Structure formats: C-alpha cells, structure tokens
Amino acid sequence: MRKVSRLSRFNVASLSLGLAFLYLPILILVIYSFNASRLVTVWGGWSLRWYHEFFNDRAMIEAAWMSLRVAVSSATIATLIGTLAAVALSRGERFRGRTLFSGMLYAPLVMPEVITGLSLLLLFVALNAERGFWTVTIAHTTLTMCFVAVVVQSRLGSLDRSLEEAAMDLGYDPLRAFVAVTLPLIAPAIVAGWMLAFTLSLDDLVIASFTTGPGSATLPIRIYSEVRLGVKPEINAICTLVIALIAVVIVIASLASKLSSSQGESAAPL
Amino acid sequence: MSGRRIFARPAHFAAIAPYVWMVLFFLVPFGFVLKISLSQTAIAQPPYEPVFDLMAGWGALKAAFAALSIDNFRLLVSDDIYVFAYVRSLTVAVTATALLLLIGYPIAYGMARLPARWQAVAMVLVIVPFWTSFLIRIYAWINILQHDGLLNQILLALHLVSQPVVWLSTDSAMYIGIVYSYLPFMILPLYATLAKMEPVLEEAASDLGAPRWQVFWLVTFPLSLPGVGAGVLLCFIPIVGEFVIPDLLAGSNALMIGQTLWLEFFTNKDWPVASAAAIVLLVVLLVPLLLYERLQKRQLEQGR
C-alpha cells in the first residue's frame, strides 16, 4: 500500500526556500549583466554593452581561450586515465598496492586545493619544467581524473556482470567482451565524467594559480584579480557567458544519460 | 574457470597508467613539500634547484639530509599568527559545517519526501549550481552584499534599516559564501541516505504513538547518521583549507590557514614555511578523516 503523499507543509517550505537560496543570486547576476548602467546597482535599461566590452578585452579573451584549451585537454586525459582507474578498482579484485591506489584516487577529492597546488608547483620547479599550458593541464588532470574514476566506478559497480561473462562464455576474450559489452553500457558515465572534469577545470582558481607561469593566466585567475579590485559590470557578462556554456554542457550530459535510460538502464546521477 | 578470474588480469593492466600518474603527480610532490618544509629559509631561495640531485651520489645526499631542520615547524608553533590561523580555520569550519547541516538537512529531508519522479528533478536542481563556477557564485554574492548592493537596497526600501549595513568584509558575508558554495555537498549525501530509508519505520513509530519530533529524533535522525557523517566530512575538510571565499568576502581580517599559506607563498615567497604550514594542515585534517573511518567501521560491525 502506498501513501498518497508524505510531503508536509514544512517540507515544501524548506525545499522552496532552499532552491530560491541556490538560484536567486545567480539569476540576479545574469539579469545585471544586461544592465546598461555602469553602476552595478542602478538599473539603466537592457543593453549588451558589457558583452561588447568583454569581446574587446584582449587579455580576458586570451585567458578564456587558455581556460577552454586546458579544460578540453585535461578533461580528455582525465577521462581516459580515470576510466582505466575505475576499471582497475572495480574489476581487478586484488592487486599489489590496491589500498595505496584507491587512497591516492580519493585523497584529492577532499584535500584542500592549496596543498595540491603547492605540491605540484614544487614538483614542476624541481623538474625545471616551464610553467604554462602543460603544467596547468597536468595539474587539472590529476585532480579531475579522481572525479571521473568515482563517477565511472559507481556505474561499473551497478552493472550486471553476467552480461560480460556471457560474452566471454560465447568466446570473446576479456578485452573484447569489455569493449563490446561493458563500454557501451558505461558510456553515459564516461560522458558525464568528462563533463564534470571539464567544468571543474574551467572553474579552478587555486591550483591554476600555483601551476601556471607568467603570461598564461586562466579565466578564473583573471576574474579573481579583477574582482579583488572591485566590482566591474564586465565580470557579470563574462560570468553569464560561462554559465551559458556550462548550461549547454549540462544539457548534453543529461541528453547522454537520457539516451542510456531509454535503453533500459538508469543513469548515474552525476 | 570462471569469467571473473580471466578478466582479473587485463583489469590489472588498466591500473598501470593511473597508478604511475598518481605516484608521479600526487605522491612524489608530497615528498618535495616535505623536503622543502625541512630546508632552511636562507639557503632555500626559490626556485630551489636542484631539489633532489640523484646524480650527486651518497656524500651529497648525506649532506642534504644533514642540512634538514625543523626550524620551520618550530616557527609555526611559536608564531601567534600561525597558531591563530589554525584555530581560526577550525572554528570557521566547525561553525560553517554546523550551519550547513542545519540548512541542508531540511532541504534533503524535503527532497526525500517528494514523489519519485520529482526527486530526480530536485536532485538535478541541487546539482546544477555545483556545476556553475564557484568563483561566479561568490561574485554573485559580492554584487548582492556590497554597500549599495541589492540586499541593502531592499532593507532600506522596507525601512528595516535607516542606512546601509556593512556586509562585505565581515564574517557574516564569509559564512553566507561558504554555506552557499558547499550546500550541494551537504544536501546530496544526506538525501542519498534519507531517500533509501524505509518509510515503514517512521510510520511504525508514529503508529505506536510517538509525536512527530520523537519520530524524527529517535528514528529518522539516527538512521541518517551515515549521510550526516559523509556530508560533514565532505564540507569540513575543504572549508578548513578554504582560501578564496574568506579572501573575497571577509577580506584580510579572516586570516584562515589557507590564506596564510597563500600569502607566505606568493607575497613573502617563503616556500619552506608555506610547505611546513601545508604539512601541518594535512596532519590536522587527518584527524577527522580517521575518526570518520572508525565511525564507519563501527557501523559496519553493527551489521549495516
């Protein structure tokens, strides 16, 4: 027997207040990005003035381009290695150093970013590596592959293994069984992992600040230094563009998971 | 031979690339942090080359070890600024985590009570702000909290205050920012345990005559403890090392350890002290992690 609804008035109130708290500030920011007035707080009518300003700001454009390149490359490498890590964790029962392996994969998830950033910088300095695009990409890959591993592993864990074993009983070797049977089934999680890695990299300020060199700032670094000097309406426009980009990413990710759920499998939450 | 056994070996091959990557870019860097935290400030001028010279042979290695000192750690303990920053970081993290629990729990509870179809929608709605850049979310709050920002405009229009209230560069602004940024991290694990809970248990308790608050306090809350633990840990640890939010919203008077480390590193360029501060921070954070692990073990032993 099912109860019709266990939702009390208190539940509804806390839910709507919570969601309002989460969304109102972002909504306000988006609205004010179309404000014609120089003063962030005075409404001067709708205008695209600050978007125009952004597209004429060479330094900002360069930083945005750098961020995008880093995000795409690090997300791609992180997805490859992170998926391998997930496979190793969920399919390789026991191997030497498994505890250390999973420890290393989970630690960056909770570790303060200042520590990760600092330690990577010291490594790059010791290796005498020129700091810039590649050092930031490596740093972001290290962080985001852990997230990819977690997302893909949760999908692998919920998968019925007998499908793969059936393929092997029918004569496929383990690798072919994995590629032909398991890989398509975990594809949505891999896509979601890539998206997550992409947005995390696009978002990161602290690790990028430690691992980048002079003249190759990412967008968050630029925004951060601008914001410290005071509120500028142009930042509202940039932020809105980033939000729009991320919205597109989320739509793609949810389409990917819908595609998989129409195949009769429920998708991973992230 | 079962298929599982056959597959075990390729899976081990899969571990090679991520293993090497993590050792190289996660484990080894900590060796460098440790090494530099033990160097002397004077001889350890950036850029610290060579940090490790393996070609130099035993004699040089021994000399390097002889030069190590714990002076930086002594400085951390004796200098009030650092002690204060650690205490302050822990206080802020405890307060913020408590606030997050208070605010996040009713939201997660409400989500778990929604009809199944709406639960998925609510979860997406909670996750989406987490995908939007945290810097942008902090910036959105600067817009609202500044002197002539929206909050003061509303308060003035409602005649709740007679002149603008200073929000920015205060602790309240910092707490708003932290709670706002970490809320999804608190809601999601709470929701996960609350949604899995059997409603029968609560119904049984209320059928037996327990008032609502007793049902919650004696049945629902204890059963949700694993989620509470996960949410608290997920928020507490990163907040202790938080740098950007206090820096932008509370200004220089916040001085948490993340900021001190950052300042020491970028402004004072004292890498050894910054490294030592990072190591102490790590040790401080290991304590809640170990506590959490013990809690989980005990819950497993209880058969759940």
Side-chain angles (χ1 to χ4, degrees), chain A residues 22-23 41 125 203 224 236, chain B residues 47 125 133 139 143 148 180 247:
Chain A
L22 283 177
Y23 282 89
T41 49
V125 167
D203 192 22
Y224 175 66
N236 282 337
Chain B
L125 283 175
S133 161
Y139 180 68
N143 268 341
D148 47 0
Y180 187 67
D247 185 66

Side-chain angles (χ1 to χ4, degrees), chain B residues 38-82:
Chain B
L38 294 168
S39 355
Q40 279 152 19
T41 311
I43 57 160
Q45 283 299 317
Y48 298 91
E49 291 162 32
V51 177
F52 272 128
D53 197 352
L54 289 178
M55 299 297 131
W58 256 118
L61 207 61
K62 259 203 257 174
F65 270 106
L68 298 182
S69 82
I70 56 163
D71 283 357
N72 299 309
F73 290 96
R74 257 193 224 125
L75 178 77
L76 285 185
V77 186
S78 61
D79 194 330
D80 282 352
I81 294 179
Y82 298 102

Side-chain angles (χ1 to χ4, degrees), chain A:
Chain A
M1 207 174 79
R2 259 187 77 213
K3 281 213 162 180
V4 182
S5 173
R6 297 181 292 133
L7 212 58
S8 72
R9 203 170 294 164
F10 175 74
N11 292 152
V12 177
S14 57
L15 250 182
S16 19
L17 278 178
L19 288 178
F21 177 61
L22 283 177
Y23 282 89
L24 271 179
I26 299 175
L27 195 69
I28 292 166
L29 180 135
V30 172
I31 292 173
Y32 272 94
S33 76
F34 295 102
N35 186 6
S37 162
R38 166 161 290 282
L39 291 163
V40 188
T41 49
V42 180
W43 185 254
W46 298 90
S47 140
L48 289 176
R49 177 178 167 190
W50 306 114
Y51 291 89
H52 202 82
E53 205 123 306
F54 165 64
F55 283 109
N56 286 321
D57 189 337
R58 277 212 71 84
M60 276 288 178
I61 293 285
E62 261 165 35
W65 180 230
M66 165 90 177
S67 271
L68 273 179
R69 274 163 48 221
V70 168
V72 169
S73 356
S74 70
T76 308
I77 306 171
T79 305
L80 285 172
I81 305 180
T83 304
L84 285 175
V87 170
L89 277 179
S90 66
R91 293 292 143 99
E93 274 78 32
R94 299 219 61 80
F95 53 88
R96 251 167 201 280
R98 192 181 195 279
T99 319
L100 174 69
F101 186 57
S102 63
M104 284 193 298
L105 278 173
Y106 286 119
L109 299 179
V110 285
M111 187 117 74
E113 287 182 319
V114 265
I115 299 182
T116 314
L118 177 72
S119 64
L120 276 165
L121 170 64
L122 295 182
L123 173 80
F124 293 139
V125 167
L127 294 176
N128 211 354
E130 193 194 333
R131 274 170 282 144
F133 174 79
W134 279 109
T135 48
V136 182
T137 302
I138 288 172
H140 281 182
T141 306
T142 308
L143 176 75
T144 58
M145 66 175 272
C146 304
F147 285 86
V148 174
V150 168
V151 172
V152 176
Q153 199 199 345
S154 81
R155 175 80 176 172
L156 270 171
S158 66
L159 222 59
D160 189 355
R161 228 173 184 181
S162 55
L163 292 169
E164 208 174 284
E165 282 166 8
M168 285 190 276
D169 287 343
L170 293 172
Y172 268 10
D173 58 76
L175 188 66
R176 265 178 78 192
F178 181 81
V179 172
V181 178
T182 313
L183 206 56
L185 287 174
I186 61 169
I190 295 176
V191 173
W194 190 91
M195 302 288 178
L196 187 61
F198 176 82
T199 49
L200 282 170
S201 164
L202 209 60
D203 192 22
D204 169 69
L205 164 70
V206 177
I207 293 177
S209 297
F210 275 102
T211 50
T212 196
S216 46
T218 59
L219 192 59
I221 296 177
R222 278 255 170 248
I223 294 179
Y224 175 66
S225 57
E226 290 286 340
V227 169
R228 292 196 80 183
L229 298 177
V231 174
K232 254 176 85 184
E234 187 195 338
I235 305 290
N236 282 337
I238 300 169
C239 291
T240 306
L241 287 174
V242 175
I243 292 173
L245 177 69
I246 289 167
V248 170
V249 166
I250 292 173
V251 168
I252 295 174
S254 65
L255 281 182
S257 68
K258 253 222 185 88
L259 209 70
S260 82
S261 62
S262 69
Q263 287 168 354
E265 283 278 340
S266 68
L270 265 171

